[in-house]
Amino acid sequence: MEEERYNKIIDISFKFGVRIVKLFQYLVDNNVNYAIPNQILKSGTSIGANVNESVFAQSKKDFVNKMHIALKEANETKYWLRLLHETDYINEKEFESMMDDLKNIIGTLVNIIKTAKFKS
């Protein structure tokens, strides 16, 4: 079960990163101030980057740390998505779809972190 969850987070964080890159390009193409697209690009792709770094973690503590960083980046990405939605740069459907993905990512990360911390 743990390996399934781990494989799942690798997959869903990568797919989310692809969505973020496409959102970034859409925002740039529509002349949104570069600071906001750049921020969401960094935080949204950092989720998967940290998950992938955890593959070669040097210890359980390092693994948990990488997952915590991914979780923090997911939370930051949530902020940027909310901001883009409230300022009408993304519509309700796009916002809800990406938030659903983030909720799935966050829930999976939390479960992985809890399991890793309490497993002997």
Side-chain angles (χ1 to χ4, degrees):
M1 181 63 173
E2 287 176 48
E3 190 172 323
E4 284 179 40
R5 234 186 273 152
Y6 191 64
N7 289 333
K8 176 185 175 185
I9 195 61
I10 289 172
D11 184 51
I12 63 176
S13 62
F14 178 81
K15 288 178 180 172
F16 186 76
V18 170
R19 291 189 75 188
I20 289 293
V21 170
K22 290 178 180 182
L23 174 61
F24 169 81
Q25 192 58 57
Y26 166 80
L27 295 170
V28 169
D29 290 348
N30 286 283
N31 299 314
V32 175
N33 178 310
Y34 186 74
I36 295 171
N38 194 42
Q39 286 295 123
I40 198 163
L41 178 67
K42 286 180 181 180
S43 65
T45 57
S46 182
I47 301 164
N50 279 287
V51 167
N52 274 276
E53 278 188 47
S54 75
V55 170
F56 294 109
Q58 295 174 338
S59 64
K60 184 170 109 174
K61 183 178 178 181
D62 186 35
F63 174 81
V64 170
N65 185 51
K66 296 290 184 216
M67 289 296 166
H68 265 288
I69 293 169
L71 183 59
K72 287 169 56 176
E73 295 293 341
N75 195 51
E76 180 182 340
T77 302
K78 194 163 62 169
Y79 170 82
W80 293 115
L81 286 173
R82 286 183 56 220
L83 187 67
L84 288 167
H85 179 248
E86 290 296 320
T87 55
D88 297 322
Y89 285 113
I90 59 174
N91 66 38
E92 186 72 25
K93 183 179 176 185
E94 293 163 332
F95 174 72
E96 289 298 329
S97 176
M98 293 196 82
M99 288 300 284
D100 286 345
D101 285 354
L102 261 181
K103 288 174 189 171
N104 187 17
I105 288 168
I106 289 169
T108 304
L109 285 169
V110 167
N111 286 334
I112 289 170
I113 291 166
K114 284 181 180 178
T115 300
K117 277 185 170 180
F118 299 111
K119 185 178 176 189
S120 51

